[in-house]
Amino acid sequence: MRGLAMKKIGEIGWVEKEKPYCGPNDALIKPLALSPCTSDVHTVWEGAIGERKDMILGHEGCGIVAEVGDQVKDFKVGDRVMVAAITPDWNSLEAQAGFAMHSGGMLAGWKFSNFKDGMFGEYFHVNDADGNLALIPEGVSIEEACMLSDMVPTGFHGVELADVQFGDTVLVVGIGPVGLMAVAGANLRGASRIIAVGTRPVCREAAKKYGATDFIGYKEGPIDEQVLKLTNGAGVDKAIIAGGTVETLEPVIKCLKPGGKVGNVNYLGEGTYINIPRVEWGVGMGHKQILGGLMPGGRLRLEKLAKLIQCGKLDVTHLLTHKFYGFDKVEDALLLMKDKPADLIKPIVIL
Ligand code: NDP
Ligand code: ZN
């Protein structure tokens, strides 16, 4: 089968591989829709997780079950399924401890396009099919199902990590597709003011639709100064980081209230250390919590998040600015994600 792979750091290309082996608890999926992620860009062009040779990329998609193992109970050949970007081993100790995304070791629930071939192949392999697949429900399109792989669960996880409560003033740093879903999630959780950081007008337009109330540009001066000015010196209750660099935490801590919480879902592709400003962290005693997390996967979460779309409470279609048709276009879509033209939020490829 063909697949679009990371050939080495800085290089992508098409490869021919054997169709993956389907174990007794596994499934093979033939993709229906695929989307590239900024994480693929960090992985290939920043070498953020180290060298990979001929590894098929991609971890956002949905498809049709092409094969199932004989122990799989709830899915059969021909089912149209959603698949999360993170596919934990649900019987692991880490999963039992509540951190399935780290099943088998830190970040090890992230298998696609990390240490096994991802979804940009004619077929892709899903471990623990009963735990990691969900049927695409009535009223959810394949485009929407694709956004449920990664964008919705990651943005929403930022909201969970920041523990957004009714009436909170929330800062969302980065309003690419992940940050936009963080804005939407914060809004659903009852945030009052949502201050969004990002410059692309197309993203700002979408952020308004998802509930952002104020905008600041990280290119127009330090984020903390702008936030403190907007809030008359009070700062924000909660912050979600979905963009930026290792430098981004510092201004966020500076404009976070004592007792505030930061949820980071940004993949830090470069740099060695992250600075925490001593004084604004309450000289170590400010009760400002920092959590960073890989999105949770799993069937239950996919099914629940899909219900938000089914019930008309979440519209992910504002994310999809560029549509491609045909498997070969996966390469164009990934290159678009790398180049980030001003009119882009998220590309999708319909097969
Ligand atoms: P995008 O590149 O589309 O968006 C990034 C956003 O951050 C844009 O709004 C951009 O603004 C803004 N930004 C860029 N530089 C800075 C800066 N220096 N300071 C503040 N804001 C900045 O990314 P995605 O939305 O696709 O992904 C966001 C992150 O989430 C990525 O790192 C991705 O790898 C990660 N991710 C993490 C997952 C997880 O499980 N934790 C899963 C999926 C993705 P502008 O408008 O100027 O472009
Ligand atoms: Zn991703």
Side-chain angles (χ1 to χ4, degrees), residues 88-99:
D89 298 309
W90 289 98
N91 59 0
S92 64
L93 293 178
E94 291 86 355
Q96 290 180 29
F99 293 94

Side-chain angles (χ1 to χ4, degrees), residues 41-189:
V41 176
H42 292 307
T43 300
V44 177
W45 285 282
E46 290 171 10
I49 50 172
E51 194 56 272
R52 298 287 189 277
K53 190 176 165 7
D54 293 342
M55 176 187 69
I56 295 179
L57 291 161
H59 53 255
E60 288 182 62
C62 61
I64 295 187
V65 176
E67 253 179 73
V68 276
D70 59 12
Q71 299 297 308
V72 175
K73 295 186 207 72
D74 297 334
F75 298 92
K76 58 181 190 315
V77 170
D79 283 345
R80 287 154 48 93
V81 288
M82 308 183 274
V83 191
I86 305 302
T87 49
D89 298 309
W90 289 98
N91 59 0
S92 64
L93 293 178
E94 291 86 355
Q96 290 180 29
F99 293 94
M101 65 290 271
H102 302 294
S103 61
M106 189 159 67
L107 307 182
W110 170 21
K111 300 177 193 299
F112 294 126
S113 68
N114 181 2
F115 56 81
K116 81 170 189 188
D117 284 328
M119 296 186 187
F120 294 170
E122 286 174 276
Y123 297 90
F124 63 86
H125 168 269
V126 178
N127 57 294
D128 203 344
D130 281 322
N132 287 318
L133 299 178
L135 293 175
I136 301 177
E138 191 93 355
V140 173
S141 68
I142 55 172
E143 286 96 333
E144 291 167 326
C146 195
M147 292 302 102
L148 287 166
S149 274
D150 190 359
M151 297 300 95
V152 179
T154 300
F156 279 29
H157 193 46
V159 177
E160 290 168 328
L161 294 173
D163 189 25
V164 173
Q165 302 289 331
F166 296 125
D168 276 348
T169 296
V170 178
L171 175 67
V172 179
V173 183
I175 44 169
V178 172
L180 286 170
M181 288 300 96
V183 170
N187 198 44
L188 282 166
R189 279 253 185 137

Side-chain angles (χ1 to χ4, degrees), residues 34-41 58-60 120 146-147 150-151 177 330 332-338 346-349:
L34 293 168
S35 184
C37 178
T38 304
S39 301
D40 293 314
V41 176
H59 53 255
E60 288 182 62
F120 294 170
C146 195
M147 292 302 102
D150 190 359
M151 297 300 95
V330 169
D332 292 348
L334 177 57
L335 292 172
L336 195 69
M337 206 59 189
K338 168 177 171 275
K346 188 85 179 168
I348 191 161
V349 185

